[in-house]
Amino acid sequence: MMNILYVAPALGVLALVYTWVRSGWVSRQDAGDERMRTIAGYIADGAIAFLRAEYKVLALFALIACAFLGYLGTTGEKSSPVIVIAFLIGAVFSALAGFIGMKIATKANVRTAQAARTSLAKALNVSFSGGSVMGMGVAGLAVLGLGSLFIVFYQLFVVSKGGGANGIEMETALEVLTGFSLGAESIALFARVGGGIYTKAADVGADLVGKVEAGIPEDDPRNPATIADNVGDNVGDVAGMGADLFGSYVATILATMVLGREVVAAGDQFNGLSPILLPMVIAGMGIVASLVGILLVRVKEGGNVQAALNFGNYASVIVSGIASFFIIRWMLPPGELVIGRAGSVPFTSLDVFYAVVVGLIVGTLMSIITEYYTAMGKRPVNSIVQQSSTGHATTVIGGLAVGMESTVLPIIVLAAGIVLSFEFAGLYGVAIAAAGMMATTAMQLAIDAFGPIADNAGGIAEMSELPKEVRERTDILDAVGNTTAATGKGFAIASAALTSLALFAAFMGTANISSIDISNARVLAGLFVGAMIPFIFSALAISAVGRAAMAMVQEVRRQFREIPGIMEGTGRPEYEKCVAISTQAAIREMMLPGAIALIVPIIIGFAFGPEVLGGTLAGVTVSGVLMAMFQSNAGGAWDNAKKSFEKGVLVNGKMEFKGSDAHKASVTGDTVGDPFKDTSGPSMNILIKLMSIVSLVIAPHIAAPERAVAPRPVERPALSLEPKVRYAELAPEATKVLFVLLRETR
Amino acid sequence: MMNILYVAPALGVLALVYTWVRSGWVSRQDAGDERMRTIAGYIADGAIAFLRAEYKVLALFALIACAFLGYLGTTGEKSSPVIVIAFLIGAVFSALAGFIGMKIATKANVRTAQAARTSLAKALNVSFSGGSVMGMGVAGLAVLGLGSLFIVFYQLFVVSKGGGANGIEMETALEVLTGFSLGAESIALFARVGGGIYTKAADVGADLVGKVEAGIPEDDPRNPATIADNVGDNVGDVAGMGADLFGSYVATILATMVLGREVVAAGDQFNGLSPILLPMVIAGMGIVASLVGILLVRVKEGGNVQAALNFGNYASVIVSGIASFFIIRWMLPPGELVIGRAGSVPFTSLDVFYAVVVGLIVGTLMSIITEYYTAMGKRPVNSIVQQSSTGHATTVIGGLAVGMESTVLPIIVLAAGIVLSFEFAGLYGVAIAAAGMMATTAMQLAIDAFGPIADNAGGIAEMSELPKEVRERTDILDAVGNTTAATGKGFAIASAALTSLALFAAFMGTANISSIDISNARVLAGLFVGAMIPFIFSALAISAVGRAAMAMVQEVRRQFREIPGIMEGTGRPEYEKCVAISTQAAIREMMLPGAIALIVPIIIGFAFGPEVLGGTLAGVTVSGVLMAMFQSNAGGAWDNAKKSFEKGVLVNGKMEFKGSDAHKASVTGDTVGDPFKDTSGPSMNILIKLMSIVSLVIAPHIAAPERAVAPRPVERPALSLEPKVRYAELAPEATKVLFVLLRETR
């Protein structure tokens, strides 16, 4: 039986072997001429410098978190200080995932540029290989880390104490394992926010002075912020996203495992462990499915890159779906499974498979809908293009309306997915649907990460003044990359939403509450406060970008003014000063939003109890999902509205091109959208997941008193009046909440 | 005892007498010279034409609604077809409230302009008198309508059947009375959305071509859209707001009455009716308090207009607070009151008074916070001003960040208000807090409505080429009007939020459900769908403004091109064509968002039952309140950032004025903010109230089966798994929901 425990870690190792081999292959490709290597060197150095500075600060944060976790671990009866170790490993693995991605991206970018001198097929091969290294690295680290820690904790807390699959010993083992996810997700939040601020401060700063004021093209080597801009692609779009999806992937698997403990699978071949192990095995299988998909991505010169990527992607989704059928049949016992401590509706292994299928469908639909709202030539982007003809303001209004409208269909799909997967297999069904959706994370990441690599390759080609056809080839890849970035965001939001719900359910079980009743005034107040968090978080992230961009603008203006010969290309811009501005701003500005996500659930949980915290989490999740879609899709749509003008587009029966007034208005829209789609929007995912994980970690410490079997001790009155609270007890805690939230608004 | 029933209607008549007398006084003021009267005539005609067109469409809608209500009224055992009559009276009164406001505003505007030739004090007197006519008209109609209908229904359904204050007969009487509120609120929604689209289409259209392209000042008679712009102030900011606050006021009183039925007040002098009658008597008292405040508003030449208004406002709030203490002591019995059908925590009359005080404090704090975020010279507006120096995009980003940030403190105040008023007197406490806050509605409206009157007066002064000091005096009033408009919005949002919660509670009681558990997957799905509604509603409203403004832009451009001598002032622009464009666009575009608000609760309620509908309402309320604050405050802040440049402001150590690049960027921000703050933002209030009222009306028809006394028949399982639903039953309803929501996104 115990062999099953090693399946997931073994497949994790397989993924890492792929990472190592493929990474070697990328490194052996031609890195081009002297000038290309020099520029690529600047970019790589800038990226490393940022990660070093960021990780230094995060190490300090991790120490504080360890102290807090260690304290918690020694107090609760179901806890253990071992959680500190799990947390640290999670944090280090998450940082490593970001580092691997950044490292391969800064190698693949220049090699893609060089490959693009030969052919489009070769350029795609190099850039997509870079992406696949990152995807496999993330998935491998996640599955290996979770899988081996589970083996250790299972031995330590369950086997050694003679516990079973559904007992309190297993609860402790999984509670400790939560530390891994907490470590992963908190690093992810800082990486996403920090990277997001970095990349957009550089991008907006470079564009505002370079393109708009000085009138030089994008990625022009005379622009002092251009290196920082290209570094940003690597630390934000690559390292940040890697850490983000690493966190989602781990959190999903973990939440399903926690809920799996509540599923009684009598008669399986694994001592009843099958519902707990299933999500890990599915994740391992997903690595194989992704590998199949990755190997299928091929394109001929002049071929359709998007179609090639889609083919690989759909292949991996379909392989996942089919393989999960057999895995579920093999692992789960044939009869009915029972979930929950009070007798509840049983479900069969087939129901679990249906839930996985629901997850796969939800993920696919979300990607398709997101693509519709952000793709060139479709109605939403076209409506923005038309409104650009009446100026800056109408362009912005049009994009905001598109972003808001774009929430409708995804929410309906998501709501239907929640209800359906729940009907099939209860909350375990919701969780396993998320796990099914996330199974092909490696493939998704490969597709996602190839975009910024191609973008960087284009930048290097421009700065190194390579022949025009090189830039044309990288532009084809870059355009596809923009679409995959948008669909990837749709996928990430859907996964984050389902993951948060799974974590939410796990939290309720662990905190020992059976309902979260919004007709209770305090829960309702929690819902309001929770729903407000994504707004203040976005406000902080957006205004951080604004401040940092202004600092960048002033530095670039200064260099244009003071460095002789800079515009003629004879004076060398001080790239490193711009890199330093972005780095410092990102590190400084990521602290407060990160702290809010970590501290708010702790304060609310300890001051007002688990039910109010549950209301808060529901508020954060609902409003966070909406804000994520609104911001990401508005940003994506503005971006492609601007790109439409670059290609030439029909407005009021007249072709409009780059340089027209309408195009200038569309540039304004794109700039507004930058922090939306690359800083605050994608941070929402991590925000909602992280707040749920923090709640799950503190859940045993704020749990409602253990109840006997089924009956409820106290009947709720008809209008659910709670006994009056003693204000004297609440006042100090309430003051603390107020203090933190007031400070945010400084 | 029965005399108490006549108190509220009598005070309503008093308010209407004031309206009549004061309106006569305004009419007798000098309306200026021939040219002023001609221009004012255009504006009045345009406003009447719009209201006529709008009310014609709404009459059709009312017929359909009556058929539906009549059908409902004959089916439920607690219902009666008499609800149709209540609905019609509510609809007519709401329309009348808007009409009175619009009528007095179009008289007061030109007389204010004429009065401004003499002195500031006289101009304030005329414009504020106009506002007070509207405020008293709205409050008088509401209290008179509700009060006399209650007398009729009390006789018809309760006295004639020998029922008591807490019985099922009273439930029917109040259910029928809900029709009045439904009528009022549905007309309000259409009026707000239609008026909002009208005013902003005209405003944006006039600005984009007039100010930006042709370079002529605001309100220049050469601009063909200038009359439409001034009509818009009357139909949007006056008639729309009047209908809005009429709806809030009625809904708040009604919700408190419905919850009052659950309060057992044994031993009062009014047959136990006191908790039901209390909100009406407080509203009547509020009319007197407002009258006191209105009479205290006086200013000398060169005096501080804002201070005079604040003095009157605070006076009426304080009078309200003190008077409610004595009213509550007099009406409620001295002992403990008991709320709810299952025995719950009792409270005393003093607790009810404390809840009223909480409401007054919440309303005042909300106004103060809103003013901070939108006032010139304060940190938020200043931050936008600074970001204007780096262009259009950073101005927009800055405003969006301010809007998002501005949600933090109001949400904390609101959450604290909910918890506190609930702790004092349960859900009745939340409702009576809202009623206390709304008591001074007449005064609030007087302050609110004086702004657009002064704005119009300025427009007429400009178009009639009156001496410069006239415009200067109206500008002083207009600037104060901008601040009062912002604080009025804060007040409206707070009242809508508390009202919705009160309605939400009333809905739960009527629908016979005792909890709304978000750990139930279907309720959670409802929460997601509900939270999405404000986004699609805003998207529709905003894009409607965009489309209508573009049509306006093209018409104005055409007139500039085709009418000879228009720029020299010798050719007369075709004002009426622009008025027609705004009118048609507003009527056409208000239908879909209005339909969503009305239909979604009906579909969800009948298809998925009351608990899922409860989740939906919670989602709508939470996300609607946040979106209302975000949009209104962002819009207000952008507006005043622009105004800062008109006065001259220090940016990066340099004074910047009108005409600078930074000022142009700030105009973009202001234009983006226009539909935010005057169309979609304020519509959120009505959206959340209307959806709650619709739910309350259908509640008896979707109610859970009547339960015996306290014990719950079925225990919820630990993880709250519901029995599996039969999809075949749900499919047709689900298809309908999908259909409606898909159509929205056309």
Side-chain angles (χ1 to χ4, degrees):
Chain A
M1 164 268 151
M2 292 314 289
N3 295 333
I4 184 92
L5 285 177
Y6 297 98
V7 169
L11 289 168
V13 170
L14 171 73
L16 292 177
V17 168
Y18 173 92
T19 303
W20 185 67
V21 171
R22 201 74 193 155
S23 166
W25 179 85
V26 170
S27 301
R28 284 192 305 277
Q29 301 306 302
D30 183 3
D33 61 26
E34 181 63 31
R35 178 149 190 198
M36 288 165 72
R37 285 202 301 271
T38 311
I39 289 167
Y42 288 147
I43 297 173
D45 292 350
I48 287 285
F50 172 70
L51 282 198
R52 191 173 296 141
E54 186 183 52
Y55 290 166
K56 210 180 280 173
V57 175
L58 293 186
L60 195 71
F61 151 77
L63 279 183
I64 300 169
C66 283
F68 176 72
L69 284 173
Y71 166 75
L72 276 189
T74 51
T75 51
E77 56 176 81
K78 277 182 262 172
S79 313
S80 158
V82 178
I83 194 173
V84 172
I85 296 167
F87 172 84
L88 277 180
I89 297 178
V92 169
F93 271 38
S94 172
L96 203 56
F99 180 79
I100 291 176
M102 193 280 298
K103 202 76 193 168
I104 188 70
T106 51
K107 274 186 185 163
N109 55 6
V110 62
R111 288 165 176 82
T112 301
Q114 178 65 16
R117 295 182 129 172
T118 321
S119 75
L120 178 67
K122 198 140 191 285
L124 172 66
N125 195 12
V126 175
S127 56
F128 185 70
S129 290
S132 73
V133 165
M134 156 133 167
M136 281 294 171
V138 163
L141 283 173
V143 172
L144 177 63
L146 263 181
S148 23
L149 281 180
F150 181 74
I151 296 175
V152 174
F153 298 155
Y154 181 59
Q155 287 297 333
L156 195 63
F157 295 102
V158 186
V159 176
S160 69
K161 294 181 183 160
N166 312 98
I168 191 167
E169 297 82 7
M170 182 59 87
E171 198 172 341
T172 308
L174 291 171
E175 164 76 12
V176 171
L177 196 56
T178 313
F180 183 74
S181 183
L182 180 65
E185 204 70 69
S186 25
I187 297 303
L189 182 74
F190 288 110
R192 200 38 139 161
V193 177
I197 294 171
Y198 188 111
T199 180
K200 289 303 127 177
D203 190 6
V204 173
D207 283 2
L208 282 179
V209 192
K211 276 203 229 172
V212 181
E213 292 181 15
I216 54 178
E218 183 144 358
D219 293 323
D220 192 293
R222 290 170 293 177
N223 190 333
T226 191
I227 294 287
D229 188 7
N230 280 283
V231 171
D233 294 342
N234 291 294
V235 301
D237 301 347
V238 177
M241 189 177 52
D244 180 357
L245 281 182
F246 180 80
S248 271
Y249 193 56
V250 168
T252 309
I253 301 172
L254 183 92
T256 319
M257 292 171 77
V258 171
L259 288 168
R261 193 186 66 86
E262 310 239 352
V263 178
V264 179
D268 71 352
Q269 334 154 35
F270 313 103
N271 293 347
L273 278 183
S274 54
I276 300 176
L277 295 175
L278 182 62
M280 273 201 290
V281 175
I282 288 183
M285 173 279 297
I287 288 178
V288 180
S290 298
L291 206 51
V292 172
I294 287 169
L295 297 176
L296 287 175
V297 173
R298 285 279 174 275
V299 73
K300 293 202 191 97
E301 191 68 22
N304 188 333
V305 177
Q306 181 75 57
L309 291 174
N310 285 349
F311 179 67
N313 188 17
Y314 288 132
S316 66
V317 169
I318 290 166
V319 169
S320 277
I322 295 170
S324 7
F325 178 79
F326 293 104
I327 290 175
I328 291 169
R329 272 287 158 114
W330 167 59
M331 286 185 67
L332 296 181
E336 286 188 330
L337 297 101
V338 178
I339 194 175
R341 286 158 299 176
S344 44
V345 180
F347 50 83
T348 65
S349 65
L350 200 62
D351 288 330
V352 173
F353 169 69
Y354 289 147
V356 169
V357 172
V358 167
L360 292 172
I361 293 174
V362 168
T364 308
L365 282 180
M366 293 288 272
S367 298
I368 292 173
I369 296 168
T370 311
E371 191 188 336
Y372 170 72
Y373 275 101
T374 54
M376 260 186 263
K378 298 275 173 19
R379 201 245 331 144
V381 168
N382 257 344
S383 74
I384 301 177
V385 166
Q386 301 307 317
Q387 287 181 277
S388 296
S389 69
T390 37
H392 301 271
T394 45
T395 309
V396 172
I397 292 175
L400 292 170
V402 164
M404 289 177 186
E405 187 197 311
S406 76
T407 61
V408 176
L409 291 177
I411 287 288
I412 292 176
V413 168
L414 197 61
I418 294 168
V419 172
L420 278 175
S421 56
F422 184 86
E423 295 297 337
F424 283 124
L427 289 168
Y428 187 71
V430 177
I432 202 85
M437 192 170 130
M438 295 295 289
T440 56
T441 294
M443 179 69 197
Q444 287 292 338
L445 255 176
I447 294 179
D448 267 17
F450 120 95
I453 293 175
D455 190 1
N456 247 257
I460 293 172
E462 189 82 32
M463 287 185 270
S464 316
E465 290 160 6
L466 296 190
K468 207 167 136 255
E469 73 267 22
V470 176
R471 178 78 200 210
E472 276 165 12
R473 289 197 186 110
T474 61
D475 273 356
I476 293 174
L477 296 181
D478 187 23
V480 174
N482 277 319
T483 308
T484 60
T487 56
K489 270 167 204 149
F491 176 83
I493 294 165
S495 77
L498 288 184
T499 303
S500 301
L501 296 181
L503 289 165
F504 184 68
F507 161 76
M508 284 183 63
T510 311
N512 216 9
I513 45 175
S514 62
S515 76
I516 295 175
D517 180 4
I518 33 179
S519 65
N520 173 332
R522 269 175 286 157
V523 174
L524 191 62
L527 189 72
F528 269 100
V529 171
M532 172 267 283
I533 304 285
F535 282 79
I536 180 64
F537 192 95
S538 297
L540 289 171
I542 290 173
S543 54
V545 171
R547 273 192 299 274
M550 274 173 64
M552 188 68 80
V553 164
Q554 268 141 28
E555 171 63 19
V556 175
R557 281 183 185 157
R558 184 196 67 78
Q559 293 199 22
F560 275 138
R561 207 169 47 232
E562 296 180 4
I563 299 177
I566 187 168
M567 279 303 282
E568 296 71 36
T570 53
R572 180 186 172 282
E574 297 166 11
Y575 301 125
E576 59 287 353
K577 291 224 167 127
C578 293
V579 169
I581 285 176
S582 258
T583 303
Q584 286 153 13
I587 304 282
R588 189 177 60 238
E589 305 273 8
M590 77 184 180
M591 303 309 289
L592 184 59
I596 291 173
L598 288 163
I599 292 170
V600 167
I602 296 176
I603 293 175
I604 291 183
F606 281 99
F608 302 103
E611 203 179 342
V612 176
L613 179 54
T616 310
L617 290 182
V620 170
T621 306
V622 168
S623 125
V625 166
L626 283 162
M627 288 291 276
M629 291 170 182
F630 161 48
Q631 298 186 56
S632 296
N633 294 344
W638 272 315
D639 191 354
N640 274 333
K642 181 198 71 175
K643 289 217 164 64
S644 303
F645 284 101
E646 291 170 1
K647 288 177 68 177
V649 69
L650 210 61
V651 181
N652 293 331
K654 197 174 122 225
M655 281 301 278
E656 297 266 9
F657 291 96
K658 212 165 165 167
S660 64
D661 279 348
H663 172 249
K664 278 180 194 147
S666 77
V667 171
T668 295
D670 180 41
T671 311
V672 172
D674 269 340
F676 261 37
K677 76 175 197 297
D678 291 320
T679 312
S680 53
S683 307
M684 295 289 108
N685 302 337
I686 316 189
L687 173 72
I688 60 182
K689 284 179 292 168
L690 183 55
M691 286 184 67
S692 300
I693 294 171
V694 171
S695 306
L696 183 56
V697 167
I698 64 169
H701 306 276
I702 59 169
E706 196 79 48
R707 279 172 296 113
V709 200
R712 252 174 145 168
V714 185
E715 176 56 31
R716 300 189 84 82
L719 279 159
S720 111
L721 266 171
E722 292 281 304
K724 301 202 179 193
V725 76
R726 272 164 293 282
Y727 290 101
E729 286 177 14
L730 279 184
E733 268 75 19
T735 318
K736 274 182 246 161
V737 182
L738 202 66
F739 173 72
V740 169
L741 287 163
L742 273 171
R743 212 182 39 192
E744 296 159 30
T745 68
R746 86 229 131 102
Chain B
M1 165 266 155
M2 292 313 290
N3 296 334
I4 183 94
L5 286 177
Y6 297 97
V7 169
L11 290 168
V13 170
L14 171 73
L16 291 179
V17 168
Y18 173 92
T19 303
W20 185 67
V21 171
R22 201 73 193 154
S23 165
W25 180 85
V26 170
S27 300
R28 284 192 303 277
Q29 302 305 303
D30 183 5
D33 60 28
E34 179 63 29
R35 178 153 191 193
M36 287 165 72
R37 284 203 301 271
T38 310
I39 289 167
Y42 288 147
I43 297 174
D45 291 350
I48 286 285
F50 172 71
L51 282 197
R52 191 173 297 141
E54 186 183 53
Y55 290 168
K56 210 180 281 174
V57 174
L58 292 186
L60 196 70
F61 151 76
L63 279 183
I64 300 169
C66 284
F68 176 73
L69 284 173
Y71 167 73
L72 275 189
T74 50
T75 52
E77 54 176 84
K78 276 182 264 173
S79 314
S80 157
V82 177
I83 195 173
V84 172
I85 295 167
F87 172 85
L88 277 180
I89 297 179
V92 169
F93 272 37
S94 173
L96 203 56
F99 180 78
I100 291 176
M102 193 279 299
K103 202 77 195 166
I104 188 72
T106 51
K107 274 186 184 165
N109 55 6
V110 62
R111 289 165 175 83
T112 301
Q114 177 67 14
R117 294 182 129 169
T118 321
S119 75
L120 179 66
K122 198 140 190 286
L124 172 66
N125 195 12
V126 176
S127 56
F128 185 70
S129 289
S132 73
V133 165
M134 157 132 167
M136 281 294 171
V138 163
L141 282 174
V143 172
L144 176 62
L146 262 181
S148 24
L149 281 180
F150 181 74
I151 295 175
V152 174
F153 297 155
Y154 181 58
Q155 288 297 334
L156 193 63
F157 295 102
V158 185
V159 175
S160 68
K161 294 181 183 160
N166 310 100
I168 191 168
E169 296 81 9
M170 182 59 88
E171 198 173 341
T172 307
L174 292 171
E175 164 75 11
V176 171
L177 196 57
T178 313
F180 184 74
S181 184
L182 180 64
E185 203 71 69
S186 26
I187 297 302
L189 182 74
F190 287 110
R192 200 34 139 168
V193 176
I197 293 171
Y198 188 112
T199 182
K200 288 304 127 177
D203 190 6
V204 173
D207 283 3
L208 281 179
V209 190
K211 275 203 232 172
V212 181
E213 292 181 16
I216 55 179
E218 182 143 0
D219 292 323
D220 193 292
R222 291 170 293 175
N223 190 333
T226 191
I227 294 287
D229 188 7
N230 279 282
V231 172
D233 293 343
N234 291 293
V235 301
D237 301 348
V238 177
M241 190 177 52
D244 181 359
L245 281 182
F246 179 79
S248 272
Y249 193 57
V250 169
T252 309
I253 301 172
L254 183 92
T256 318
M257 291 171 77
V258 172
L259 288 168
R261 193 187 67 86
E262 310 238 351
V263 178
V264 179
D268 71 353
Q269 335 155 33
F270 313 104
N271 293 348
L273 279 182
S274 55
I276 300 176
L277 295 175
L278 182 61
M280 272 201 290
V281 176
I282 287 184
M285 172 280 296
I287 287 179
V288 180
S290 297
L291 205 52
V292 172
I294 286 170
L295 297 175
L296 287 175
V297 173
R298 286 278 175 275
V299 73
K300 292 202 191 100
E301 190 67 22
N304 188 335
V305 178
Q306 181 76 57
L309 292 175
N310 285 348
F311 178 68
N313 188 17
Y314 288 131
S316 66
V317 169
I318 290 166
V319 170
S320 279
I322 295 170
S324 16
F325 177 80
F326 293 104
I327 290 174
I328 291 169
R329 272 289 160 115
W330 167 60
M331 285 186 68
L332 295 181
E336 286 187 332
L337 298 101
V338 178
I339 192 175
R341 285 158 299 177
S344 45
V345 180
F347 50 81
T348 66
S349 65
L350 200 62
D351 288 329
V352 174
F353 170 68
Y354 289 147
V356 169
V357 172
V358 167
L360 291 171
I361 294 174
V362 167
T364 309
L365 282 180
M366 293 287 272
S367 297
I368 292 173
I369 296 167
T370 310
E371 190 187 339
Y372 170 74
Y373 274 101
T374 55
M376 261 186 263
K378 298 274 172 20
R379 201 244 333 143
V381 168
N382 258 343
S383 73
I384 300 177
V385 167
Q386 301 307 317
Q387 299 199 44
S388 295
S389 68
T390 37
H392 301 270
T394 45
T395 309
V396 173
I397 291 175
L400 292 170
V402 165
M404 289 178 186
E405 187 196 311
S406 76
T407 61
V408 176
L409 291 178
I411 286 288
I412 292 175
V413 168
L414 198 61
I418 294 168
V419 172
L420 279 175
S421 55
F422 184 86
E423 296 297 337
F424 283 124
L427 289 169
Y428 187 70
V430 176
I432 201 88
M437 192 171 132
M438 295 295 289
T440 57
T441 293
M443 180 69 195
Q444 286 293 338
L445 255 178
I447 295 179
D448 267 17
F450 119 96
I453 294 174
D455 190 0
N456 246 257
I460 293 171
E462 189 81 31
M463 287 185 270
S464 317
E465 290 160 5
L466 297 189
K468 207 165 137 258
E469 73 266 22
V470 176
R471 177 78 199 211
E472 276 166 12
R473 289 195 186 114
T474 62
D475 272 356
I476 293 174
L477 296 181
D478 188 24
V480 174
N482 276 319
T483 308
T484 60
T487 56
K489 271 168 205 149
F491 175 83
I493 294 166
S495 76
L498 287 185
T499 303
S500 301
L501 296 180
L503 288 166
F504 184 67
F507 162 76
M508 284 183 64
T510 311
N512 215 10
I513 47 175
S514 62
S515 76
I516 294 175
D517 180 5
I518 33 179
S519 66
N520 173 332
R522 269 174 286 157
V523 174
L524 191 62
L527 189 72
F528 269 99
V529 171
M532 170 266 285
I533 303 286
F535 282 78
I536 180 64
F537 192 95
S538 298
L540 289 171
I542 291 173
S543 53
V545 171
R547 272 193 298 276
M550 275 173 63
M552 189 68 82
V553 163
Q554 269 142 24
E555 172 62 20
V556 175
R557 281 184 185 157
R558 184 195 68 78
Q559 293 200 20
F560 276 138
R561 208 170 46 233
E562 296 180 3
I563 299 177
I566 188 169
M567 280 303 284
E568 295 73 36
T570 53
R572 182 185 170 280
E574 296 165 10
Y575 300 125
E576 59 288 351
K577 291 226 167 126
C578 292
V579 169
I581 286 177
S582 257
T583 302
Q584 285 154 14
I587 303 282
R588 190 178 57 238
E589 305 273 8
M590 78 184 180
M591 302 309 289
L592 184 59
I596 291 174
L598 289 164
I599 292 171
V600 166
I602 296 177
I603 293 176
I604 292 184
F606 280 100
F608 302 103
E611 203 178 343
V612 176
L613 179 53
T616 310
L617 290 182
V620 170
T621 307
V622 168
S623 124
V625 166
L626 283 162
M627 288 292 275
M629 290 170 181
F630 161 49
Q631 300 186 55
S632 296
N633 294 345
W638 272 316
D639 191 355
N640 274 332
K642 182 198 71 176
K643 290 218 164 63
S644 304
F645 284 101
E646 290 170 0
K647 288 177 66 177
V649 69
L650 211 62
V651 181
N652 295 330
K654 196 173 124 227
M655 280 302 278
E656 298 265 9
F657 292 96
K658 212 164 166 167
S660 65
D661 279 347
H663 171 248
K664 279 180 194 149
S666 77
V667 171
T668 295
D670 180 41
T671 312
V672 172
D674 270 339
F676 262 38
K677 75 175 197 298
D678 291 320
T679 313
S680 54
S683 307
M684 295 289 108
N685 301 339
I686 316 187
L687 174 71
I688 61 183
K689 283 179 292 167
L690 181 56
M691 286 185 70
S692 300
I693 294 170
V694 172
S695 306
L696 183 55
V697 168
I698 63 169
H701 306 277
I702 59 170
E706 196 78 48
R707 279 170 296 112
V709 201
R712 251 175 145 168
V714 185
E715 175 56 32
R716 302 188 82 82
L719 279 159
S720 111
L721 266 170
E722 293 281 304
K724 300 201 177 189
V725 76
R726 272 165 293 282
Y727 291 101
E729 286 176 13
L730 279 185
E733 269 75 20
T735 318
K736 274 182 247 162
V737 181
L738 202 66
F739 173 72
V740 169
L741 288 164
L742 273 172
R743 212 182 39 191
E744 296 159 28
T745 67
R746 88 229 129 99

